[in-house]
Amino acid sequence: MRLKQMFRVGTMIAFTLILSSILSLRAQDRVVVNFWSHDYPARVIIDEELIAQFEAENPDIDIVYTVGPGDDVLYITQLLTALAGGQGPDLFNVVGVGVPDLIPSGAVVPVDVSQFGVDDQQAIIDLYAPGVLDSFMSEDGTLFALPTELGNYALYINTALFEAAGLDAEADAPATWEDILELAEILTVRDANGSITQRAFDFPYPLADEFNSRVIVMGGMAYQLGDGIVADDNLTVTLNGPGWVRTMEFVRNYAANYGGPQMPSAFTDFLQGKVAMIISGSWFEGVVAANNPALLESLIVAPFPRWAEGLVNDGGSYLYGYGLYVSAQASPEVQAAAWKFVNFISSFPERYYTEANLLQPRLSLLENDEVVNASFAAPFLRDMVGSPSLPLVKGGGEGEAVLGRAIEAVTLTNRPIQEILDEVTADFQASIDAAQ
Amino acid sequence: MTTHAKPLIAPSVSRPRWRLSLFQRRNLWGLVFVLPAILFFAVFAYYPLARAVEFSFQNFNLLAPPRDVGWANYEFLLNNPRFQLILRNTFSYVVSFAVPVWIIGLMLALVFVQPFRGRAFYRTLYFVPVVLSETVISIVWRLIFHPEGMANGLLQPITGQSLPWLTSTTYAPLAVVIVSVWRVFGYYMIIFMTGLQNIPTEYYDAAKVDGATGVQAFRFVTLPLLRPTMIFVVIVTFLTAFQSFVYQLLITQGSPLDSTNVLGLYIYQEAFAHLRYGRAAAAAMILFAILLTLTLIQLILLRNRRDVS
């Protein structure tokens, strides 16, 4: 009896050991890719569906998907802490300008062209609109990432407010910054005390509930006048050039007469029908749909305005990009599997645009008239070519905050604009110098 | 016959080396009991502190290995006009937060130690903000201070205009102070009440017999006997105010023009928004030095108090 029991237990242990060995052997056959992304619910749904599809087509690869905070600062903190501790993901999505040191630090590896079925990276670059992948390249022109979202800003117009003012939004949409000033006279509504109750347009000032980027908007305005954020050496800050001074003069004048940072953010007031025009990204359509779907009925999008006088570069706003990067800490086989997955997931730009309002400017999307003409994509896509990418400057992650301080000083004080810009330029320069 | 007297006391026998004396055993057991706490502090307090000191002499962005820069981070901070402004803002915030908290807390405590109808209800009412989350409070007050929010709705008939609560360098610091004080005065009210209740009533009776007025009793009985409580409240309000950053982050983000930016927020921004952990650590060390000085002052004051006793 005792022997029988011992035999039974022994058999069970042996069976368990054999089964776990088989399972672990099977697990060893599969390559596991840990993939992190920031939260953007509409995109996450598509990601999850495509991951399932990819795993079905590639049974030897497991994609373990982790969604981090939607706030870039929180997400980047988690990501970098994990990478620094050797516990980071193998593949991750991040906004390049938020981590300008990512490529120079050697934390990520170049795109593995072999996983894309092509001979060189140029074949991958040629899949996209010209120049749009610049912000994913190192200084020597090596490609390090592909976009999950590559965006710029355009002008959203509330046609109902135009009609109420006796205007035709299609015909009277402003093409220049000077046009915006003229329209401000017509579209700004004040109460009996002279307080503004409806704004024609306003800028993204540094306010708590303003989600649009100052660098993308004001940077684009200055770029049109010939000034970048940094010089071609990618080291010298040029925030105090004449193009920036003129841009800030425009902002100061506009804020003093037609809006300004003392008012609620234009972002929230546009959603409530109290601002006729704002500048934002393609994703803003989704924000409108979620917060005030009725507004979609009276929404059109026009290209980013240009300067009527003194235009040097006929570009739109700055381009920003969320890219898919592969960690240098991953093993070569995991890196290969990760790039294979990147090749797969970046082949659905139409889906990401139509279902999540995120632009991945592949030529296949640009040439898809059905999608482009049935949506707001056209002004964004047209403006992308010829527009500058936000520069990835080592130690230059503070650009948005620096410009925010400049805009506050411009709009809330009477200090000379040149003096303000010289000050923030020196501040930003010191930060960049310290990081070299 | 020779007899060998048996010694009354056994000769001292040398104890084996591995055997411990009673005191040694007691000490060892004591050490065993405090060891978890020591380990906890070593891992979660002293080690991070030591690393922060090390980082403060380095450039570190979490991606590349840290690079030694000597005193450069400290030199930058101490010579940087923006940091000097933030340091001034911090001191200004500490004073404008702490003084109203002491006054309101003490006045309410004096009211609530007296028996009256509904005392428990009102005391609870004043204490409620203490148990609320700072995040929730910040969001609610941001709505109250919105240009079209409740604050302007109530004040506009008096001021005649909408006040720029969160976008003016005059009003934004005031708004942050109002929220901070509103949140905690109930807590310090309770602390002061405890102190007041510990003062024996005989002193007041004696003062009354001597013909002291209410003000005189407060001046010569209440205040001196409340001194330990007051020292505690002063130090704790200073320490918490110096470390404040949640309201500044969630209500104003330090704006406008850095008028609501304080050391705690600056450290957060440098580390997490700008990925300059070295400079953030140096700023944290400066904050640490300030807090350490305050704590030493507290110890000296309390010791003097004990000496007097």
Side-chain angles (χ1 to χ4, degrees), chain B residues 220-243:
Chain B
F220 296 106
V221 178
T222 309
L223 282 184
L225 292 173
L226 203 58
R227 190 166 172 253
T229 310
M230 286 167 74
I231 290 173
F232 170 78
V233 169
V234 166
I235 297 299
V236 172
T237 47
F238 273 0
L239 290 180
T240 51
F242 268 112
Q243 296 174 72

PDB file of all heavy atoms in Angstrom, chain B residues 220-243:
ATOM      1  N   PHE B 220      -0.060  86.504  30.193  1.00  0.00           N
ATOM      2  CA  PHE B 220       0.873  86.051  31.231  1.00  0.00           C
ATOM      3  C   PHE B 220       0.681  84.594  31.661  1.00  0.00           C
ATOM      4  O   PHE B 220       1.501  84.056  32.384  1.00  0.00           O
ATOM      5  CB  PHE B 220       0.795  86.983  32.454  1.00  0.00           C
ATOM      6  CG  PHE B 220       1.237  88.376  32.150  1.00  0.00           C
ATOM      7  CD1 PHE B 220       0.320  89.412  32.030  1.00  0.00           C
ATOM      8  CD2 PHE B 220       2.591  88.660  31.915  1.00  0.00           C
ATOM      9  CE1 PHE B 220       0.728  90.700  31.714  1.00  0.00           C
ATOM     10  CE2 PHE B 220       2.999  89.947  31.597  1.00  0.00           C
ATOM     11  CZ  PHE B 220       2.070  90.968  31.487  1.00  0.00           C
ATOM     12  N   VAL B 221      -0.421  83.978  31.234  1.00  0.00           N
ATOM     13  CA  VAL B 221      -0.622  82.558  31.593  1.00  0.00           C
ATOM     14  C   VAL B 221      -0.615  81.682  30.339  1.00  0.00           C
ATOM     15  O   VAL B 221       0.202  80.775  30.199  1.00  0.00           O
ATOM     16  CB  VAL B 221      -1.951  82.362  32.369  1.00  0.00           C
ATOM     17  CG1 VAL B 221      -2.163  80.887  32.684  1.00  0.00           C
ATOM     18  CG2 VAL B 221      -1.958  83.189  33.640  1.00  0.00           C
ATOM     19  N   THR B 222      -1.540  82.012  29.419  1.00  0.00           N
ATOM     20  CA  THR B 222      -1.706  81.137  28.250  1.00  0.00           C
ATOM     21  C   THR B 222      -0.434  81.089  27.399  1.00  0.00           C
ATOM     22  O   THR B 222       0.104  80.009  27.121  1.00  0.00           O
ATOM     23  CB  THR B 222      -2.890  81.627  27.379  1.00  0.00           C
ATOM     24  OG1 THR B 222      -4.028  81.788  28.217  1.00  0.00           O
ATOM     25  CG2 THR B 222      -3.196  80.635  26.284  1.00  0.00           C
ATOM     26  N   LEU B 223       0.032  82.250  26.979  1.00  0.00           N
ATOM     27  CA  LEU B 223       1.166  82.268  26.041  1.00  0.00           C
ATOM     28  C   LEU B 223       2.423  81.594  26.599  1.00  0.00           C
ATOM     29  O   LEU B 223       3.005  80.741  25.927  1.00  0.00           O
ATOM     30  CB  LEU B 223       1.463  83.701  25.583  1.00  0.00           C
ATOM     31  CG  LEU B 223       0.524  84.270  24.504  1.00  0.00           C
ATOM     32  CD1 LEU B 223       0.977  85.655  24.071  1.00  0.00           C
ATOM     33  CD2 LEU B 223       0.446  83.357  23.292  1.00  0.00           C
ATOM     34  N   PRO B 224       2.838  81.919  27.835  1.00  0.00           N
ATOM     35  CA  PRO B 224       4.061  81.245  28.336  1.00  0.00           C
ATOM     36  C   PRO B 224       3.890  79.731  28.449  1.00  0.00           C
ATOM     37  O   PRO B 224       4.802  78.982  28.120  1.00  0.00           O
ATOM     38  CB  PRO B 224       4.254  81.866  29.722  1.00  0.00           C
ATOM     39  CG  PRO B 224       3.499  83.141  29.704  1.00  0.00           C
ATOM     40  CD  PRO B 224       2.360  82.949  28.776  1.00  0.00           C
ATOM     41  N   LEU B 225       2.703  79.285  28.894  1.00  0.00           N
ATOM     42  CA  LEU B 225       2.524  77.842  29.081  1.00  0.00           C
ATOM     43  C   LEU B 225       2.265  77.117  27.756  1.00  0.00           C
ATOM     44  O   LEU B 225       2.364  75.899  27.682  1.00  0.00           O
ATOM     45  CB  LEU B 225       1.389  77.578  30.070  1.00  0.00           C
ATOM     46  CG  LEU B 225       1.727  78.005  31.503  1.00  0.00           C
ATOM     47  CD1 LEU B 225       0.515  77.891  32.407  1.00  0.00           C
ATOM     48  CD2 LEU B 225       2.865  77.157  32.051  1.00  0.00           C
ATOM     49  N   LEU B 226       1.935  77.891  26.752  1.00  0.00           N
ATOM     50  CA  LEU B 226       1.699  77.288  25.435  1.00  0.00           C
ATOM     51  C   LEU B 226       2.992  77.256  24.612  1.00  0.00           C
ATOM     52  O   LEU B 226       2.999  76.806  23.467  1.00  0.00           O
ATOM     53  CB  LEU B 226       0.624  78.115  24.699  1.00  0.00           C
ATOM     54  CG  LEU B 226      -0.170  77.437  23.586  1.00  0.00           C
ATOM     55  CD1 LEU B 226      -0.895  76.205  24.107  1.00  0.00           C
ATOM     56  CD2 LEU B 226      -1.166  78.402  22.970  1.00  0.00           C
ATOM     57  N   ARG B 227       4.066  77.734  25.205  1.00  0.00           N
ATOM     58  CA  ARG B 227       5.316  77.897  24.441  1.00  0.00           C
ATOM     59  C   ARG B 227       5.798  76.604  23.759  1.00  0.00           C
ATOM     60  O   ARG B 227       6.135  76.631  22.568  1.00  0.00           O
ATOM     61  CB  ARG B 227       6.401  78.453  25.364  1.00  0.00           C
ATOM     62  CG  ARG B 227       7.633  78.879  24.600  1.00  0.00           C
ATOM     63  CD  ARG B 227       8.549  79.736  25.486  1.00  0.00           C
ATOM     64  NE  ARG B 227       9.801  79.959  24.797  1.00  0.00           N
ATOM     65  CZ  ARG B 227      10.951  79.375  25.133  1.00  0.00           C
ATOM     66  NH1 ARG B 227      10.981  78.538  26.140  1.00  0.00           N
ATOM     67  NH2 ARG B 227      12.054  79.626  24.462  1.00  0.00           N
ATOM     68  N   PRO B 228       5.825  75.443  24.455  1.00  0.00           N
ATOM     69  CA  PRO B 228       6.292  74.224  23.770  1.00  0.00           C
ATOM     70  C   PRO B 228       5.437  73.894  22.543  1.00  0.00           C
ATOM     71  O   PRO B 228       5.963  73.534  21.498  1.00  0.00           O
ATOM     72  CB  PRO B 228       6.149  73.133  24.841  1.00  0.00           C
ATOM     73  CG  PRO B 228       6.103  73.847  26.127  1.00  0.00           C
ATOM     74  CD  PRO B 228       5.483  75.169  25.865  1.00  0.00           C
ATOM     75  N   THR B 229       4.120  74.058  22.689  1.00  0.00           N
ATOM     76  CA  THR B 229       3.230  73.792  21.550  1.00  0.00           C
ATOM     77  C   THR B 229       3.528  74.766  20.418  1.00  0.00           C
ATOM     78  O   THR B 229       3.573  74.393  19.244  1.00  0.00           O
ATOM     79  CB  THR B 229       1.751  73.952  21.984  1.00  0.00           C
ATOM     80  OG1 THR B 229       1.547  73.200  23.156  1.00  0.00           O
ATOM     81  CG2 THR B 229       0.805  73.503  20.891  1.00  0.00           C
ATOM     82  N   MET B 230       3.739  76.038  20.791  1.00  0.00           N
ATOM     83  CA  MET B 230       3.981  77.048  19.767  1.00  0.00           C
ATOM     84  C   MET B 230       5.294  76.775  19.033  1.00  0.00           C
ATOM     85  O   MET B 230       5.366  76.906  17.805  1.00  0.00           O
ATOM     86  CB  MET B 230       3.979  78.442  20.389  1.00  0.00           C
ATOM     87  CG  MET B 230       2.573  78.913  20.741  1.00  0.00           C
ATOM     88  SD  MET B 230       2.538  80.345  21.794  1.00  0.00           S
ATOM     89  CE  MET B 230       3.010  81.603  20.673  1.00  0.00           C
ATOM     90  N   ILE B 231       6.310  76.357  19.782  1.00  0.00           N
ATOM     91  CA  ILE B 231       7.589  76.050  19.123  1.00  0.00           C
ATOM     92  C   ILE B 231       7.397  74.893  18.145  1.00  0.00           C
ATOM     93  O   ILE B 231       7.857  74.937  17.000  1.00  0.00           O
ATOM     94  CB  ILE B 231       8.677  75.708  20.174  1.00  0.00           C
ATOM     95  CG1 ILE B 231       9.053  76.973  20.944  1.00  0.00           C
ATOM     96  CG2 ILE B 231       9.911  75.105  19.502  1.00  0.00           C
ATOM     97  CD1 ILE B 231       9.974  76.731  22.114  1.00  0.00           C
ATOM     98  N   PHE B 232       6.665  73.894  18.580  1.00  0.00           N
ATOM     99  CA  PHE B 232       6.395  72.742  17.705  1.00  0.00           C
ATOM    100  C   PHE B 232       5.670  73.196  16.435  1.00  0.00           C
ATOM    101  O   PHE B 232       6.064  72.854  15.323  1.00  0.00           O
ATOM    102  CB  PHE B 232       5.552  71.707  18.467  1.00  0.00           C
ATOM    103  CG  PHE B 232       5.023  70.612  17.600  1.00  0.00           C
ATOM    104  CD1 PHE B 232       5.844  69.561  17.206  1.00  0.00           C
ATOM    105  CD2 PHE B 232       3.713  70.632  17.140  1.00  0.00           C
ATOM    106  CE1 PHE B 232       5.360  68.566  16.385  1.00  0.00           C
ATOM    107  CE2 PHE B 232       3.224  69.640  16.324  1.00  0.00           C
ATOM    108  CZ  PHE B 232       4.052  68.592  15.945  1.00  0.00           C
ATOM    109  N   VAL B 233       4.618  73.998  16.620  1.00  0.00           N
ATOM    110  CA  VAL B 233       3.823  74.443  15.468  1.00  0.00           C
ATOM    111  C   VAL B 233       4.671  75.299  14.524  1.00  0.00           C
ATOM    112  O   VAL B 233       4.630  75.127  13.300  1.00  0.00           O
ATOM    113  CB  VAL B 233       2.564  75.219  15.940  1.00  0.00           C
ATOM    114  CG1 VAL B 233       1.884  75.919  14.779  1.00  0.00           C
ATOM    115  CG2 VAL B 233       1.589  74.275  16.613  1.00  0.00           C
ATOM    116  N   VAL B 234       5.465  76.193  15.099  1.00  0.00           N
ATOM    117  CA  VAL B 234       6.307  77.066  14.264  1.00  0.00           C
ATOM    118  C   VAL B 234       7.253  76.228  13.413  1.00  0.00           C
ATOM    119  O   VAL B 234       7.347  76.403  12.192  1.00  0.00           O
ATOM    120  CB  VAL B 234       7.104  78.058  15.156  1.00  0.00           C
ATOM    121  CG1 VAL B 234       8.211  78.729  14.353  1.00  0.00           C
ATOM    122  CG2 VAL B 234       6.169  79.102  15.739  1.00  0.00           C
ATOM    123  N   ILE B 235       7.927  75.304  14.051  1.00  0.00           N
ATOM    124  CA  ILE B 235       8.917  74.507  13.318  1.00  0.00           C
ATOM    125  C   ILE B 235       8.238  73.625  12.263  1.00  0.00           C
ATOM    126  O   ILE B 235       8.677  73.560  11.113  1.00  0.00           O
ATOM    127  CB  ILE B 235       9.752  73.638  14.294  1.00  0.00           C
ATOM    128  CG1 ILE B 235      10.550  74.537  15.238  1.00  0.00           C
ATOM    129  CG2 ILE B 235      10.683  72.701  13.541  1.00  0.00           C
ATOM    130  CD1 ILE B 235      11.550  75.451  14.579  1.00  0.00           C
ATOM    131  N   VAL B 236       7.140  72.973  12.645  1.00  0.00           N
ATOM    132  CA  VAL B 236       6.483  72.061  11.697  1.00  0.00           C
ATOM    133  C   VAL B 236       5.892  72.838  10.513  1.00  0.00           C
ATOM    134  O   VAL B 236       6.017  72.412   9.363  1.00  0.00           O
ATOM    135  CB  VAL B 236       5.394  71.217  12.412  1.00  0.00           C
ATOM    136  CG1 VAL B 236       4.576  70.427  11.405  1.00  0.00           C
ATOM    137  CG2 VAL B 236       6.051  70.265  13.390  1.00  0.00           C
ATOM    138  N   THR B 237       5.310  73.995  10.785  1.00  0.00           N
ATOM    139  CA  THR B 237       4.762  74.776   9.653  1.00  0.00           C
ATOM    140  C   THR B 237       5.892  75.234   8.732  1.00  0.00           C
ATOM    141  O   THR B 237       5.751  75.217   7.515  1.00  0.00           O
ATOM    142  CB  THR B 237       3.948  76.006  10.133  1.00  0.00           C
ATOM    143  OG1 THR B 237       4.697  76.692  11.124  1.00  0.00           O
ATOM    144  CG2 THR B 237       2.599  75.625  10.656  1.00  0.00           C
ATOM    145  N   PHE B 238       7.015  75.640   9.320  1.00  0.00           N
ATOM    146  CA  PHE B 238       8.154  76.045   8.482  1.00  0.00           C
ATOM    147  C   PHE B 238       8.647  74.868   7.638  1.00  0.00           C
ATOM    148  O   PHE B 238       8.876  75.002   6.435  1.00  0.00           O
ATOM    149  CB  PHE B 238       9.298  76.575   9.354  1.00  0.00           C
ATOM    150  CG  PHE B 238       9.181  78.043   9.673  1.00  0.00           C
ATOM    151  CD1 PHE B 238       8.121  78.792   9.184  1.00  0.00           C
ATOM    152  CD2 PHE B 238      10.122  78.686  10.458  1.00  0.00           C
ATOM    153  CE1 PHE B 238       7.997  80.147   9.469  1.00  0.00           C
ATOM    154  CE2 PHE B 238      10.021  80.042  10.745  1.00  0.00           C
ATOM    155  CZ  PHE B 238       8.957  80.765  10.254  1.00  0.00           C
ATOM    156  N   LEU B 239       8.805  73.716   8.295  1.00  0.00           N
ATOM    157  CA  LEU B 239       9.334  72.548   7.568  1.00  0.00           C
ATOM    158  C   LEU B 239       8.401  72.149   6.427  1.00  0.00           C
ATOM    159  O   LEU B 239       8.851  71.901   5.306  1.00  0.00           O
ATOM    160  CB  LEU B 239       9.539  71.360   8.512  1.00  0.00           C
ATOM    161  CG  LEU B 239      10.668  71.481   9.538  1.00  0.00           C
ATOM    162  CD1 LEU B 239      10.737  70.223  10.402  1.00  0.00           C
ATOM    163  CD2 LEU B 239      12.011  71.694   8.865  1.00  0.00           C
ATOM    164  N   THR B 240       7.106  72.081   6.700  1.00  0.00           N
ATOM    165  CA  THR B 240       6.174  71.659   5.643  1.00  0.00           C
ATOM    166  C   THR B 240       6.094  72.718   4.547  1.00  0.00           C
ATOM    167  O   THR B 240       6.006  72.388   3.370  1.00  0.00           O
ATOM    168  CB  THR B 240       4.759  71.382   6.196  1.00  0.00           C
ATOM    169  OG1 THR B 240       4.368  72.508   6.972  1.00  0.00           O
ATOM    170  CG2 THR B 240       4.702  70.145   7.043  1.00  0.00           C
ATOM    171  N   ALA B 241       6.147  73.993   4.934  1.00  0.00           N
ATOM    172  CA  ALA B 241       6.047  75.049   3.916  1.00  0.00           C
ATOM    173  C   ALA B 241       7.269  75.055   3.004  1.00  0.00           C
ATOM    174  O   ALA B 241       7.153  75.259   1.798  1.00  0.00           O
ATOM    175  CB  ALA B 241       5.886  76.404   4.591  1.00  0.00           C
ATOM    176  N   PHE B 242       8.427  74.813   3.568  1.00  0.00           N
ATOM    177  CA  PHE B 242       9.631  74.776   2.726  1.00  0.00           C
ATOM    178  C   PHE B 242       9.566  73.643   1.703  1.00  0.00           C
ATOM    179  O   PHE B 242      10.146  73.728   0.641  1.00  0.00           O
ATOM    180  CB  PHE B 242      10.885  74.614   3.593  1.00  0.00           C
ATOM    181  CG  PHE B 242      11.500  75.926   3.988  1.00  0.00           C
ATOM    182  CD1 PHE B 242      11.480  76.353   5.301  1.00  0.00           C
ATOM    183  CD2 PHE B 242      12.087  76.746   3.039  1.00  0.00           C
ATOM    184  CE1 PHE B 242      12.035  77.570   5.672  1.00  0.00           C
ATOM    185  CE2 PHE B 242      12.646  77.963   3.398  1.00  0.00           C
ATOM    186  CZ  PHE B 242      12.615  78.372   4.722  1.00  0.00           C
ATOM    187  N   GLN B 243       8.874  72.558   2.065  1.00  0.00           N
ATOM    188  CA  GLN B 243       8.810  71.409   1.151  1.00  0.00           C
ATOM    189  C   GLN B 243       7.597  71.454   0.224  1.00  0.00           C
ATOM    190  O   GLN B 243       7.414  70.557  -0.590  1.00  0.00           O
ATOM    191  CB  GLN B 243       8.774  70.114   1.971  1.00  0.00           C
ATOM    192  CG  GLN B 243      10.053  69.899   2.769  1.00  0.00           C
ATOM    193  CD  GLN B 243       9.952  68.698   3.673  1.00  0.00           C
ATOM    194  OE1 GLN B 243       9.960  67.568   3.236  1.00  0.00           O
ATOM    195  NE2 GLN B 243       9.833  68.947   4.956  1.00  0.00           N
TER     196      GLN B 243
END
